[in-house]
Amino acid sequence: MYYDLHIHSALSPCSDDDMTLNNIVNMSFIKGLDLIAITDHNSVKQLSCLPTVAQGKVKFVYGVEIQSREEVHILAYFLPETELAPIQQFLDYYLIEEPNDEDYFGHQYIFNDQDEIIGSESRLLIVSIDLSLTDIIKAIHQFQGIAILAHALSKRYSVMHNMLTIDPTWDFDGIEVTNKEEQEKLLVMFPFLKNYMWFFNSDAHSLVDINEPLYQLEWEDFYQLWRKRYG
């Protein structure tokens, strides 16, 4: 399956306002992707209509990109049967309160399945939640999700930029990089990473940046991450 498991909707203030559910799904379908995840910053409020919009076009898993106290980004993926409300309650509880300045950061829109704006998030989402990296990974597992170290080498909010290392005792499930070159560099530094599943995602904040059909995974291999952890 061709995939892109790191796409931001217009709920993320750093994304374009036309990153609606239908636009994301339709662009992914047009590009030939089979599996996607919408991974907004510190919120799953955009995801309730995703099953309706995605039906018959692309497969999906639920996702969210969580920022730790160390300013490290962790991607959390949840199977489509997962109840979203408890996850949102958890994120709401630990989100560090700061109002969103739409003129500076951008809008944080919530859409229905017709791409109509039905709300917006008033609190700024591109901040940390008040938990450490390891505590976030534990919480993801408590919600029966899998935890992926996001853009592990390449960005300001990467684990290598802010932690300067990758420790297997953190109990993460996989690792995301931008390209094969980054993967090779990390494997030289941390040979134990050869035992983990790797993801090559776009981190798209605009429609044009969604992955082309370049990277493939087998659903059974992906699903094995849940089976391995939860049986």
Side-chain angles (χ1 to χ4, degrees):
M1 292 191 305
Y2 291 108
Y3 70 92
D4 191 348
L5 298 172
H6 192 165
I7 302 171
H8 290 270
S9 82
L11 178 55
S12 295
C14 41
S15 278
D16 292 348
D17 287 349
D18 64 357
M19 292 293 276
T20 66
L21 291 174
N22 281 280
N23 283 348
I24 290 170
V25 166
N26 289 335
M27 181 62 81
S28 300
F29 177 75
I30 289 167
K31 287 193 171 192
L33 299 183
D34 305 298
L35 175 68
I36 66 168
I38 293 175
T39 52
D40 286 311
H41 292 287
N42 295 322
S43 180
V44 295
K45 288 184 178 180
Q46 197 72 274
L47 302 181
S48 61
C49 293
L50 182 57
T52 301
V53 176
Q55 187 174 12
K57 294 181 178 177
V58 293
K59 292 183 64 127
F60 70 90
V61 291
Y62 290 132
V64 60
E65 185 172 28
I66 306 173
Q67 182 171 310
S68 74
R69 273 199 305 247
E70 303 94 342
E71 296 193 340
V72 172
H73 286 183
I74 307 105
L75 289 166
Y77 297 138
F78 305 94
L79 293 174
E81 58 267 28
T82 303
E83 186 179 353
L84 294 172
I87 300 170
Q88 187 59 53
Q89 290 169 3
F90 159 78
L91 294 167
D92 285 340
Y93 184 82
Y94 286 104
L95 183 68
I96 295 174
E97 293 279 346
E98 183 175 337
N100 181 35
D101 181 346
E102 291 186 345
D103 293 330
Y104 185 80
F105 294 107
H107 301 114
Q108 297 183 148
Y109 288 139
I110 302 168
F111 301 101
N112 64 14
D113 61 357
Q114 300 298 313
D115 286 355
E116 298 166 330
I117 297 171
I118 57 172
S120 63
E121 176 59 67
S122 61
R123 298 168 305 164
L124 183 63
L125 293 175
I126 48 171
V127 294
S128 296
I129 71 169
D130 194 18
L131 287 174
S132 69
L133 172 98
T134 53
D135 285 339
I136 289 170
I137 291 172
K138 287 177 186 175
I140 291 168
H141 292 154
Q142 287 170 356
F143 289 115
Q144 303 284 290
I146 57 172
I148 310 300
L149 300 179
H151 39 69
L153 187 61
S154 59
K155 295 193 176 183
R156 174 185 168 191
Y157 296 103
S158 73
V159 66
M160 285 302 296
H161 186 278
N162 290 337
M163 306 285 282
L164 304 179
T165 190
I166 298 175
D167 188 335
T169 66
W170 294 340
D171 200 27
F172 58 95
D173 301 288
I175 186 160
E176 179 196 58
V177 289
T178 303
N179 52 52
K180 295 283 188 181
E181 183 179 67
E182 290 184 357
Q183 181 187 36
E184 290 167 3
K185 286 180 181 178
L186 285 174
L187 285 170
V188 169
M189 289 187 280
F190 307 104
F192 72 88
L193 291 176
K194 70 179 184 296
N195 298 316
Y196 286 80
M197 192 166 187
W198 292 76
F199 297 86
F200 300 88
N201 296 317
S202 69
D203 193 7
H205 290 70
S206 62
L207 292 169
V208 70
D209 290 333
I210 294 172
N211 268 355
E212 301 294 332
L214 299 173
Y215 303 107
Q216 296 188 70
L217 56 74
E218 295 297 327
W219 174 255
E220 281 303 311
D221 294 338
F222 189 30
Y223 186 60
Q224 183 65 24
L225 293 177
W226 278 272
R227 277 203 294 253
K228 184 171 157 184
R229 183 163 290 278
Y230 305 112

